[in-house]
Amino acid sequence: MWGRPAQPGDWVSATTKISTGLLDDLTGGGLPAGSRGVVTDRSGRWLTVEFDNGPGTTTARVKDSHCHIARRGGGRDRFHDRTRRMSIVRLALAAFLLWPFAQFFALYLWYNRTLDGIMPALALATLESVGDFAAQIVTEPVRTLLYLGFLAVLGRLAFRR
């Protein structure tokens, strides 16, 4: 209410869940409150906003009362640069978290030359990795804590709202 309403180029943050498709209301999908976006057009009390949805952006038409201005005049290009950087951070986090599984599948295929029995082997390897992680904490606590801290920082950067 105070100050000017959101204009094209302003960065906004959603205050409610935003529906992006026809089935979002039925399935409970959509963008959660706190999702960031950039205003691309304004028509009366309606805004056209490009929201960061994780792997890229999605466009939604929302009431201006459902958005809070996060940064005036931030610009569309700078928002897309930020979205690209966040996508890279998310991919890096996914790579660090999925690397043990990729390594397991590659070694399993190398030694067994088939995918037969991979699910029980994966379950057993998961249980064994818990013990290995406990041993890693005891034998190399600094290195393990640095790695966990690194993953925590990447996760915080990648998924903050």
Side-chain angles (χ1 to χ4, degrees), residues 83-93:
T83 302
R84 249 182 261 115
R85 282 193 307 272
M86 287 299 105
S87 294
I88 291 169
V89 170
R90 290 176 185 128
L91 284 173
L93 179 64

Side-chain angles (χ1 to χ4, degrees), residues 65-113:
S65 61
H66 293 175
C67 292
H68 169 72
I69 297 174
R71 183 176 178 184
R72 290 204 184 270
R76 188 175 182 196
D77 292 336
R78 282 189 276 174
F79 181 78
H80 286 289
D81 289 342
R82 177 193 172 275
T83 302
R84 249 182 261 115
R85 282 193 307 272
M86 287 299 105
S87 294
I88 291 169
V89 170
R90 290 176 185 128
L91 284 173
L93 179 64
F96 276 103
L97 294 176
L98 293 176
W99 173 251
F101 292 104
Q103 186 178 16
F104 169 79
F105 284 116
L107 289 174
Y108 188 86
L109 284 173
W110 181 262
Y111 288 116
N112 296 311
R113 306 277 190 236

Side-chain angles (χ1 to χ4, degrees), residues 15-31:
T15 57
T16 61
K17 184 181 248 186
I18 304 293
S19 296
T20 57
L22 295 174
L23 296 177
D24 284 347
D25 292 328
L26 297 174
T27 61
L31 297 169

